[in-house]
Amino acid sequence: MEVLASSATASSCPHFIISNMYKNPNSASMATTPQLLQRKYAPVRIVEARAKAPLMYLKITSFKRLLNYGNTDRALLLPICRLNQSFFSQCSLFSVRYSKLKKKLRLKKYAGSLHKVISYSEKIGHHAFVRFVVALMVVMSVSVSVSESPSWALTEENLLFLEAWRMIDRAYVDKSFNGQSWFRYRENALRNEPMNTREETYMAIKKMLATLEDPFTRFLEPEKLKSLRSGTQGALTGVGLSIGYPTKFDGSPAGLLVISASPGGPANKAGILSGDVILAIDDTSTETMGVYDAAERLQGSEGSSVKLTVRSGPEIKHLDLMREKVSLNPVTSRLCAMPASGKDSLRIGYIKLTSFNQNASGAVKEAINTLRTNNVNAFVLDLRDNSGGLFPEGIEIAKIWLDKGVIVYICDSRGVRDIYDTDGSKAVAPSEPLAVLVNKGTASASEILAGALKDNKRAVLFGEPTFGKGKIQSVFELSDGSGLVVTVARYETPAHTDIDKVGVVPDHPLPTSFPKDEEAFCNCLQDPASACNKVELFAR
């Protein structure tokens, strides 16, 4: 079971938080998928309720006697006729005075005694419901809980659609389902949506999810689900790029911002740098392209090629890159010494964290220990343009810096349902001065980490308000290998701040010229007149 918390990297999982990747839908906490209910062959509730009534035990007489009774009132049996026309071929002949029968039977009086009900049924003789029990059992066995619909056998495609519907029904955070009747949607979809092929079924599922108007709840074809998993496991096949949100500079063509290029990967070897803008992928403009779509286009089979149009400063580059299996190292670090003398001079350990994959917490610990061998006495944790990743890795990294305290509250529509905290047992660097750098590209797991460090007064935050992704998603696998990314909860910072669409607000701003990588940061510190030295990162 993989637990995720991601946001906007094309190299792993684009902008959303994921709390769980599940294959086994059997446990009951937030970190488990709700168990799928078995298909329930039941008709409309009113018929089901009548099936449980003492009327079930009436003595059965002949079928013909029922047909010969009464005049024109068929209010009771017509719904059953509609549900199973093949069994009730003579439905048009039924005429039962239901109100009279109800009065005669006095169901409430005889509800507690099977013997009395049977005896009473003998008194009313040919007025009884002939073969009523048999009819109800047939209706219940062939119906699909769709009111007043012809009965049909559920196809494999119908079952896949219902599997997706049930997952949303059980797991989705908004139990109003964006103000619609979720059961009614299922009925209408089974009646009206074409589901003759797997592609049509996938389209029906996507259409269903679109009604929630939640950009983070989405459908994943089998290959996309595999790609998502590989991206959170520290390696994938692609060009080694992490991309951010659509951006525009000075009226120039819009595109997708390059957050980072994996060292040694195809993009890095081609000279693509952080801050470059991807204008087109395989001659398709990225101006209106979402990060999900872009991530899928950048990934592909090993040895295949992809064409990129990239703007690097004023220069436009046309590159043809070959996809490779790229190992994703989420952490880079460097020792930066301030230009001062004496034993009190600052030796800063700069750590840039670009994503939260399975290597993240271990890589952060390793960077801290390496920097400590060089006698650092302060740290800078750079979370700018970190769009998230695995949720547990965000929690583990928070524990590295904190000696105690709440890390995050997990909430649903009823309030707090889970608390992640730490007792300090996993703390590695709980005392050195710490500055955290954030911007609007800091999202999801990065915001959880930044909020925890700020609210516990462990760090001072510099930059601009973060993206504001306060929802948690889980990834569920369907029986055919496809999957659903579903919003299952929201979270609050330790100060009970709901950051959704607001973000984590930093303590101090940063100059726009503040460097974005370790080498530029260290060089900037060496210049007394630079932007770095105008910001008091470690003012005491």
Side-chain angles (χ1 to χ4, degrees):
M1 180 173 64
E2 287 180 81
V3 183
L4 307 166
S6 174
S7 190
T9 63
S11 60
S12 56
C13 27
H15 189 160
F16 54 90
I17 288 185
I18 308 174
S19 70
N20 269 307
M21 174 87 69
Y22 306 105
K23 196 167 183 176
N24 178 13
N26 289 321
S27 57
S29 67
M30 183 209 66
T32 57
T33 180
Q35 183 176 359
L36 295 181
L37 299 176
Q38 294 183 353
R39 183 154 56 105
K40 189 174 182 181
Y41 296 102
V44 289
R45 292 178 179 176
I46 187 169
V47 176
E48 184 178 4
R50 288 171 182 164
K52 296 177 182 177
L55 198 61
M56 290 280 290
Y57 305 112
L58 289 177
K59 184 176 180 181
I60 304 303
T61 57
S62 72
F63 186 69
K64 292 182 179 179
R65 290 181 183 179
L66 178 61
L67 300 180
N68 294 330
Y69 178 79
N71 290 319
T72 59
D73 188 358
R74 296 176 294 169
L76 176 62
L77 291 182
L78 278 180
I80 304 174
C81 298
R82 294 190 187 104
L83 283 166
N84 199 332
Q85 296 283 0
S86 61
F87 182 86
F88 290 105
S89 59
Q90 303 183 66
C91 279
S92 60
L93 301 177
F94 283 127
S95 54
V96 179
R97 290 193 175 277
Y98 174 63
S99 59
K100 290 185 178 181
L101 285 175
K102 182 178 178 183
K103 184 176 180 180
K104 289 183 178 181
L105 289 174
R106 304 177 187 273
L107 292 181
K108 290 185 179 180
K109 178 178 180 180
Y110 294 97
S113 172
L114 173 61
H115 176 72
K116 291 181 179 180
V117 172
I118 295 176
S119 300
Y120 195 76
S121 68
E122 293 176 350
K123 294 180 182 180
I124 63 174
H126 65 278
H127 301 321
F129 289 119
V130 181
R131 303 191 185 280
F132 190 70
V133 175
V134 178
L136 283 173
M137 292 178 67
V138 171
V139 172
M140 293 173 68
S141 67
V142 299
S143 121
V144 289
S145 302
V146 180
S147 173
E148 298 188 3
S149 298
S151 63
W152 67 83
L154 289 173
T155 67
E156 183 178 351
E157 302 306 320
N158 294 148
L159 292 175
L160 182 62
F161 175 84
L162 286 174
E163 187 182 354
W165 180 91
R166 289 186 185 106
M167 284 185 177
I168 300 296
D169 182 53
R170 298 298 300 275
Y172 192 60
V173 64
D174 177 13
K175 293 309 177 185
S176 76
F177 301 98
N178 196 29
Q180 64 181 322
S181 169
W182 199 237
F183 286 90
R184 178 63 57 83
Y185 187 91
R186 179 189 64 181
E187 295 177 8
N188 293 337
L190 288 172
R191 272 195 297 227
N192 303 321
E193 292 295 331
M195 299 182 204
N196 301 311
T197 66
R198 189 52 48 92
E199 289 71 23
E200 288 181 343
T201 304
Y202 285 170
M203 186 58 64
I205 293 173
K206 291 178 181 178
K207 185 176 179 180
M208 173 179 68
L209 299 183
T211 66
L212 299 174
E213 297 182 355
D214 178 356
F216 306 113
T217 295
R218 64 189 184 105
F219 176 76
L220 301 170
E221 287 83 358
E223 288 303 316
K224 293 179 182 178
L225 180 60
K226 291 178 183 177
S227 176
L228 176 64
R229 283 174 167 164
S230 65
T232 61
Q233 291 171 353
L236 55 81
T237 302
V239 297
L241 276 179
S242 292
I243 58 174
Y245 312 101
T247 185
K248 182 178 285 190
F249 295 106
D250 303 324
S252 56
L256 297 174
L257 181 69
V258 174
I259 295 175
S260 63
S262 299
N268 178 258
K269 288 185 285 189
I272 297 178
L273 303 174
S274 175
D276 289 353
V277 177
I278 301 175
L279 301 178
I281 302 174
D282 283 332
D283 299 324
T284 301
S285 172
T286 61
E287 186 169 359
T288 58
M289 186 182 297
V291 288
Y292 295 122
D293 189 13
E296 291 157 6
R297 290 170 184 265
L298 290 172
Q299 297 174 35
S301 58
E302 190 171 5
S304 61
S305 63
V306 58
K307 295 179 181 180
L308 298 182
T309 302
V310 180
R311 177 164 55 80
S312 181
E315 182 183 1
I316 303 295
K317 300 178 181 178
H318 299 278
L319 304 172
D320 195 347
L321 306 182
M322 184 171 292
R323 297 182 178 97
E324 300 174 4
K325 193 161 188 175
V326 180
S327 179
L328 302 175
N329 183 4
V331 172
T332 56
S333 62
R334 184 161 177 166
L335 171 66
C336 303
M338 296 286 285
S341 59
K343 61 180 181 179
D344 292 331
S345 64
L346 278 178
R347 294 173 64 83
I348 298 173
Y350 176 89
I351 299 174
K352 187 172 182 64
L353 180 61
T354 58
S355 66
F356 291 77
N357 63 20
Q358 290 181 349
N359 305 325
S361 60
V364 170
K365 289 179 185 178
E366 183 179 352
I368 291 173
N369 291 330
T370 300
L371 290 167
R372 273 185 169 163
T373 62
N374 292 297
N375 299 316
V376 299
N377 47 24
F379 288 100
V380 170
L381 178 61
D382 194 345
L383 297 178
R384 289 174 295 176
D385 296 319
N386 182 329
S387 54
L390 292 165
F391 177 82
E393 290 297 299
I395 300 299
E396 290 303 309
I397 294 172
K399 291 179 179 179
I400 290 173
W401 302 100
L402 293 170
D403 57 358
K404 63 178 179 179
V406 172
I407 298 172
V408 67
Y409 294 104
I410 305 302
C411 310
D412 59 16
S413 57
R414 293 169 292 184
V416 175
R417 76 179 195 188
D418 204 356
I419 301 173
Y420 288 85
D421 58 8
T422 181
D423 58 4
S425 60
K426 294 186 178 181
V428 177
S431 58
E432 292 95 338
L434 175 63
V436 176
L437 312 182
V438 296
N439 66 359
K440 63 183 177 182
T442 303
S444 290
S446 295
E447 293 177 287
I448 291 175
L449 176 57
L453 297 177
K454 178 186 177 184
D455 287 357
N456 283 287
K457 302 188 184 306
R458 173 64 187 90
V460 179
L461 268 60
F462 294 86
E464 58 186 350
T466 61
F467 180 78
K469 176 71 173 56
K471 296 290 196 307
I472 294 177
Q473 280 74 39
S474 295
V475 178
F476 301 89
E477 183 176 359
L478 299 176
S479 57
D480 74 330
S482 60
L484 297 176
V485 179
V486 183
T487 299
V488 295
R490 61 181 177 85
Y491 69 83
E492 295 177 356
T493 69
H496 285 289
T497 302
D498 183 354
I499 68 161
D500 195 47
K501 300 179 182 179
V502 177
V504 178
V505 179
D507 300 297
H508 305 287
L510 280 178
T512 55
S513 59
F514 203 87
K516 282 196 171 185
D517 62 79
E518 67 275 14
E519 184 175 358
F521 177 76
C522 286
N523 292 337
C524 184
L525 287 178
Q526 300 298 322
D527 181 3
S530 68
C532 298
N533 289 297
K534 292 179 181 178
V535 177
E536 296 182 354
L537 294 175
F538 303 104
R540 298 183 180 179

